[in-house]
Amino acid sequence: MSTPSFSVVIPAFNEEEYLPRLLDTIERARERYGCEADSVEVIVADNCSTDAAARIAADRGCIVVSVEKRAIGAVRNGGARNARGAILAFVDADTQVHADTFIEIADVLNDATVVGGATGIRFERSSPGIKLTFAMLVIAGSLVRIAIGERPTTNVDTGVTFCRRRDFEEIGGYSEERLFAEDAQFLIDLKRLGRRRHQRFAPAMKAKAIFSTRKFDKYGDWHYFPLSARMIASALRHGGVTAWARRYWYEER
């Protein structure tokens, strides 16, 4: 069995509705990249799904890994532990990847001065509330960048996040204690590793992923703003953030 170039890790909890759509876009991206089928392995880290997500993944030729801990960082790490590819790419099950994803990632990581990157996103639909939410995310991301000594940007470091597997292992992967924002912490850790080596974090913005608006469809296009206020209020109460995060990100689907 040949060693794949890419390992795509997809965390999944009851994602039978969205997973086939993502897998279709990954297949188109693999075909556009022009590599052999086994050069891109797809790992679905199943987090105790009660629907057909795991069966769908297996039927589509994915490697299915069972992860019981209900924390998104643990799910991502569980998938990564089973990866064989030199490059790890992490994407959520309700996302759709760009057809040039693997071309762009390979091009970015062909530069030894780059430690990793992200494709960025565009929302699958737009509205004033969604546009303003994206602007809020850009501002929040820029504040984080400033805090760790980087320049602010108009991009959001999300979508498909990628790095070399050896660097993922060096920083210890994702935090398994966080119920949310584990992706932000991972990027901070990866960027700090890069700075120690005089490497930079690079975007692959020519291959932006399509970001699902299902939370907006469910809670409303302006829901991030009262949600942020409730999160701050919850932080002032013991255990409040944990309860809030479980309701918002870990509810039954």
Side-chain angles (χ1 to χ4, degrees):
M1 181 181 297
S2 61
T3 301
S5 301
F6 293 91
S7 293
V8 182
V9 178
I10 306 168
F13 168 65
N14 287 354
E15 294 288 3
E16 65 178 5
E17 179 179 356
Y18 292 92
L19 184 60
R21 184 180 69 173
L22 169 59
L23 296 178
D24 287 344
T25 63
I26 290 174
E27 179 59 22
R28 286 195 289 272
R30 187 202 63 76
E31 292 175 353
R32 180 75 66 88
Y33 184 51
C35 60
E36 298 297 326
D38 58 1
S39 292
V40 177
E41 68 174 6
V42 181
I43 301 170
V44 173
D46 179 58
N47 194 204
C48 304
S49 294
T50 57
D51 69 358
R55 178 183 58 78
I56 290 170
D59 289 347
R60 293 288 296 266
C62 303
I63 299 168
V64 179
V65 177
S66 179
V67 181
E68 293 188 2
K69 185 173 181 177
R70 296 284 287 141
I72 185 62
V75 185
R76 298 188 198 278
N77 289 342
R81 279 193 292 271
N82 289 269
R84 297 182 298 119
I87 297 172
L88 299 183
F90 297 88
V91 61
D92 291 338
D94 59 353
T95 303
Q96 300 172 70
V97 305
H98 192 282
D100 290 334
T101 296
F102 300 122
I103 295 173
E104 289 298 316
I105 292 176
D107 184 59
V108 169
L109 290 183
N110 191 47
D111 185 345
T113 67
V114 172
V115 71
T119 62
I121 58 169
R122 60 184 179 87
F123 286 89
E124 61 182 343
R125 66 175 178 86
S126 184
S127 73
I130 291 174
K131 288 179 179 178
L132 197 55
T133 298
F134 183 80
M136 182 180 75
L137 294 175
V138 169
I139 292 170
S142 292
L143 292 175
V144 171
R145 284 173 174 265
I146 291 170
I148 63 175
E150 294 185 347
R151 297 166 64 178
T153 179
T154 58
N155 300 319
V156 178
D157 294 331
T158 188
V160 181
T161 300
F162 55 89
C163 65
R164 299 173 184 88
R165 180 155 56 99
R166 63 177 182 270
D167 294 334
F168 177 89
E169 293 169 350
E170 181 164 342
I171 64 176
Y174 289 87
S175 168
E176 300 194 4
E177 305 310 314
R178 292 176 175 269
L179 292 181
F180 64 98
E182 84 298 332
D183 48 353
Q185 183 62 60
F186 173 77
L187 292 180
I188 290 172
D189 294 341
L190 185 62
K191 291 175 180 181
R192 284 174 173 164
L193 174 66
R195 283 203 303 276
R196 291 198 300 270
R197 299 172 172 173
H198 305 289
Q199 292 175 305
R200 60 191 175 87
F201 185 87
M205 294 296 170
K206 294 179 182 178
K208 289 185 178 181
I210 299 176
F211 189 83
S212 171
T213 57
R214 69 178 177 185
K215 289 292 189 184
F216 295 91
D217 298 339
K218 181 175 182 178
Y219 296 110
D221 288 1
W222 295 91
H223 82 278
Y224 259 71
F225 298 94
L227 182 72
S228 298
R230 288 197 297 272
M231 181 178 67
I232 293 170
S234 295
L236 301 177
R237 301 193 298 269
H238 179 69
V241 171
T242 296
W244 165 83
R246 290 197 180 281
R247 284 194 303 271
Y248 187 74
W249 274 295
Y250 295 82
E251 80 279 7
E252 293 291 334
R253 285 195 285 272

